[in-house]
Amino acid sequence: MSNDATAPITGAEILVRSLAEENVKHVFGYPGGAVLYIYDAIFKQDKFQHILVRHEQAAVHAADAYSRSSNEVGVALVTSGPGVTNAVTGLSTAYMDSIPMVVISGQVPTHAIGQDAFQECDTVGITRPVVKHNFLVKDVRELASTIKKAFYIARTGRPGPVLVDIPKDVSMQKAMYAYPKEIEMRSYKPVDKGHAGQIRKAVQLLLAAERPMIYTGGGVILANASDELNRLVDKLGFPVTNTLMGLGAYRASSGHFVGMPGMHGTYEANMAMQHCDVLIAIGARFDDRVIGNPRHFASNPRKIIHIDIDPSSISKRVKVDIPIVGNVKDVLVELLSQLDTAEATPGGARPNAPALQAWWQQIGEWRGRECLKYAPSSEVIKPQSVVETLWQVTGGDAFVTSDVGQHQMWAAQYYPFNKPRRWINSGGLGTMGVGLPYAMGVQMANPGATVACVTGEGSIQMNIQELATCKQYHLTPKIILLNNRFLGMVRQWQELDYNSRYSESYMDSLPDFEKLAEAYGHVGMRIEKPGDVEGALRDAFAMKDRLVFMNFITDRSENVWPMVKTGKGLSEMLLSSEDL
């Protein structure tokens, strides 16, 4: 690559230099004809490392997890046609969870666009519904500024994935390189600061509350506002719940934490959500898996404060009383400042202590139901016990990735998180197959960290080829397969809603996972007895330089409890099969 700043360089070289300007350290990708000039430019540079995945979907998932676990913008590179279409699931996964990411795609030459050329597809049209924004670069002179815009859009406001489509001839053509230091976009002006007057109203409402509840989501983590949230909860002494995407935003070890809300949340979290008189929602969106039936949720009167960076999320599903649009961190800083000011005034405004004490007494009674209690067994491995033992063995300090299904819910329920960005899963889209590429992205972003992937025998097979990527790049996550020989969550719903007609949910032919792992050059284990669970986990995590694939043969009939069935309200929970 030419170092002469006065000489024109190719579009591929412009792209590579632009990524270096953004301090990109890793790019996940898979080559193809439309991006070969770009790959040639990557070969000649030493600013970042390219990770060769085995499927484009895995590239985008890995870049996604790289971002979730590090607060950096993840980057993926795919070729045109099937390379792009393979990446759509990863883009949609990141879009649903508001993950900042830039995906570079190759395209056929500009003169061939619209001519049904080999490996052509309408990338901009296909990806438009599943990205925050996308670009088709037709002039090499606009490439550098487009990359700058892509990173700016991805990481500001409500974050999200941005796609940049680069025709092959644009990557070959030459232009002078100049990377803009700042970017100005007339049509894109995200708001950061919340309205001071609205925040003042929120403070007054919180201090007057008798049954307050703090409900937080992934927006707290995306805004790096965990410290501010912990200070707010500790200051007010209110109960707090973190959604599936927000786990770790407030420390689970605190008595103020009442567990996760929603379909598989705790009894105490859901009852407190339903019966509070003041609810402050912070970086959460009242989605269907959290509040259940909106009409049922609205049947109990309450005042709602909603803090979110995205104005379109406010009053979208639930009407709120005090909307506050702004960056969660900035708003919480101002909210804490106003609370300090209120305390310092003569008389010192503080929460309603007698009412709060009575409220906590009620929450204690709900906690007494012990909704996460399960029947232990000396004969068969209970999946919940595997997750609990994982927490003990890792000291509760691992990065935990998961796929989607029963194992995901058990991981969320039985592995308490005290830190943000440690729980990496697909929340909004619910994408099977993310667990292993997520573990890859996490480990690339956090070298030396303890990484565990909790998965199921259905999910793991969707991207199991990435065991080869792990071998090539010496990635050593520990895979915890909770193997019940069923598509577990599908089976559970079929049992409860379809009179146990298990249509296509039984995994009739499974590979020998231990031998398969060994075939890829890793360590395989099979664990069938409850007494062997802890020893296997300790042995696996002691092998710091090896990927260990642990196949836990678990109870086939175990269901995830509690559960709010579709169409039901939060206070209509099933705590066990006895409630059916």
Side-chain angles (χ1 to χ4, degrees):
M1 186 181 295
S2 173
N3 290 319
D4 184 355
T6 63
I9 59 176
T10 67
E13 291 172 322
I14 289 173
L15 171 63
V16 167
R17 288 194 185 183
S18 298
L19 294 177
E21 293 267 14
E22 292 291 341
N23 202 33
V24 171
K25 299 301 181 189
H26 297 94
V27 174
F28 300 88
Y30 200 94
V35 288
L36 287 185
Y37 285 108
I38 296 172
Y39 271 90
D40 193 48
I42 289 174
F43 184 84
K44 300 172 185 176
Q45 60 83 46
D46 60 1
K47 299 297 184 183
F48 58 81
Q49 181 183 12
H50 180 277
I51 309 299
L52 175 64
V53 297
R54 272 42 177 184
H55 193 286
E56 290 91 352
Q57 181 178 339
V60 184
H61 289 329
D64 174 348
Y66 190 96
S67 176
R68 292 182 197 242
S69 65
S70 69
N71 193 36
E72 301 293 336
V73 177
V75 181
L77 171 60
V78 301
T79 194
S80 64
V84 167
T85 56
N86 283 346
V88 168
T89 298
L91 284 165
S92 187
T93 301
Y95 180 68
M96 287 287 282
D97 290 345
S98 304
I99 306 304
M101 190 165 64
V102 172
V103 174
I104 312 295
S105 61
Q107 183 55 276
V108 299
T110 52
H111 65 81
I113 292 175
Q115 302 298 312
D116 295 329
F118 177 67
Q119 290 192 333
E120 180 193 0
C121 70
D122 179 7
T123 297
V124 169
I126 288 171
T127 62
R128 183 177 288 118
V130 295
V131 295
K132 186 176 178 183
H133 195 66
N134 58 18
F135 297 92
L136 171 62
V137 183
K138 291 187 174 182
D139 187 336
V140 67
R141 294 169 296 181
E142 296 177 357
L143 182 54
S145 62
T146 301
I147 297 300
K148 182 71 175 181
K149 289 177 183 177
F151 276 85
Y152 175 65
I153 293 170
R155 63 164 62 101
T156 56
R158 180 176 181 171
V162 177
L163 180 133
V164 181
D165 200 30
I166 305 176
K168 188 171 184 178
D169 57 325
V170 172
S171 68
M172 177 181 62
Q173 292 164 0
K174 291 187 176 183
M176 298 301 296
Y177 175 72
Y179 198 70
K181 296 189 182 303
E182 301 291 337
I183 204 76
E184 181 72 17
M185 299 181 69
R186 189 170 54 186
S187 60
Y188 180 66
K189 302 283 185 182
V191 174
D192 287 330
K193 303 295 183 182
H195 190 282
Q198 292 292 89
I199 296 173
R200 192 174 303 112
K201 290 180 184 177
V203 168
Q204 293 168 353
L205 193 57
L206 289 170
L207 293 178
E210 295 185 353
R211 300 185 310 279
M213 183 68 177
I214 299 175
Y215 153 53
T216 74
V220 175
I221 294 173
L222 291 169
N224 296 312
S226 181
D227 288 346
E228 288 76 14
L229 175 64
N230 276 263
R231 284 171 51 206
L232 178 69
V233 175
D234 295 346
K235 186 181 192 65
L236 294 173
F238 293 175
V240 59
T241 181
N242 295 336
T243 67
L244 182 71
M245 293 306 303
L247 292 176
Y250 182 78
R251 61 191 189 280
S253 59
S254 168
H256 292 137
F257 183 63
V258 295
M260 181 175 70
M263 177 172 280
H264 295 295
T266 66
Y267 184 71
E268 52 268 31
N270 282 349
M271 293 298 281
M273 285 277 287
Q274 186 66 24
H275 295 287
C276 64
D277 69 339
V278 173
L279 177 66
I280 178 169
I282 308 173
R285 57 190 179 90
F286 293 93
D287 70 280
D288 59 306
R289 290 297 174 99
V290 168
I291 65 166
N293 186 325
R295 288 187 179 180
H296 181 278
F297 185 71
S299 64
N300 285 22
R302 64 177 75 75
K303 295 292 184 180
I304 299 178
I305 305 159
H306 193 177
I307 303 169
D308 205 286
I309 188 70
D310 182 4
S312 71
S313 290
I314 295 178
S315 289
K316 185 175 185 178
R317 301 194 74 244
V318 171
K319 186 178 183 301
V320 305
D321 300 280
I322 302 178
I324 304 173
V325 177
N327 179 274
V328 165
K329 189 181 187 77
D330 292 333
V331 173
L332 288 184
V333 167
E334 176 62 20
L335 185 62
L336 285 162
S337 174
Q338 291 200 23
L339 281 169
D340 289 340
T341 301
E343 283 186 358
T345 58
R350 285 180 174 79
N352 186 333
L356 188 58
Q357 184 178 0
W359 179 228
W360 272 115
Q361 185 175 351
Q362 172 64 77
I363 291 172
E365 292 177 12
W366 290 328
R367 271 179 169 160
R369 298 288 295 271
E370 296 185 302
C371 66
L372 294 181
K373 191 174 182 178
Y374 62 93
S377 172
S378 59
E379 302 297 324
V380 62
I381 295 174
K382 293 289 186 176
Q384 302 96 320
S385 71
V386 177
V387 177
E388 287 180 326
T389 308
L390 173 65
W391 183 85
Q392 294 166 5
V393 168
T394 60
D397 200 35
F399 286 86
V400 179
T401 75
S402 87
D403 276 290
V404 171
Q406 287 181 314
H407 58 272
Q408 176 191 26
M409 294 299 106
W410 285 317
Q413 290 174 330
Y414 294 95
Y415 196 105
F417 292 91
N418 280 329
K419 298 176 183 177
R421 299 190 182 275
R422 294 302 180 96
W423 168 237
I424 313 295
N425 80 121
S426 169
L429 196 64
T431 307
M432 293 174 69
V434 297
L436 181 53
Y438 271 5
M440 290 161 32
V442 168
Q443 196 157 63
M444 292 306 302
N446 303 272
T450 300
V451 181
C453 170
V454 178
T455 186
E457 73 283 355
S459 288
I460 191 64
Q461 293 188 84
M462 290 194 172
N463 270 310
I464 202 165
Q465 75 284 339
E466 297 310 314
L467 288 172
T469 306
C470 292
K471 182 64 177 178
Q472 180 171 345
Y473 295 97
H474 311 291
L475 301 176
T476 59
K478 307 302 182 269
I479 299 173
I480 293 89
L481 171 59
L482 303 181
N483 186 349
N484 60 10
R485 287 81 74 208
F486 271 108
L487 298 177
M489 192 60 83
V490 174
R491 181 204 59 74
Q492 177 170 337
W493 283 49
Q494 288 173 336
E495 176 186 332
L496 301 182
D497 291 344
Y498 299 89
N499 294 320
S500 298
R501 293 187 296 273
Y502 300 126
S503 177
E504 306 304 324
S505 56
Y506 171 55
M507 303 295 281
D508 198 30
S509 177
L510 290 174
D512 184 327
F513 287 109
E514 306 85 77
K515 288 183 179 178
L516 186 57
E518 290 166 1
Y520 278 105
H522 305 300
V523 177
M525 292 183 180
R526 183 181 179 91
I527 305 95
E528 300 183 76
K529 298 178 180 178
D532 295 337
V533 169
E534 182 176 350
L537 285 166
R538 292 198 181 278
D539 288 347
F541 281 94
M543 289 185 265
K544 297 188 182 300
D545 61 343
R546 300 296 300 275
L547 183 152
V548 183
F549 194 119
M550 287 167 278
N551 183 12
F552 290 93
I553 309 303
T554 63
D555 188 342
R556 306 187 70 197
S557 62
E558 196 71 17
N559 286 333
V560 179
W561 304 110
M563 181 178 181
V564 178
K565 294 181 72 174
T566 303
K568 296 295 183 179
L570 288 181
S571 60
E572 300 176 306
M573 300 186 76
L574 304 177
L575 300 190
S576 70
S577 58
E578 296 176 359
D579 291 337
L580 293 172

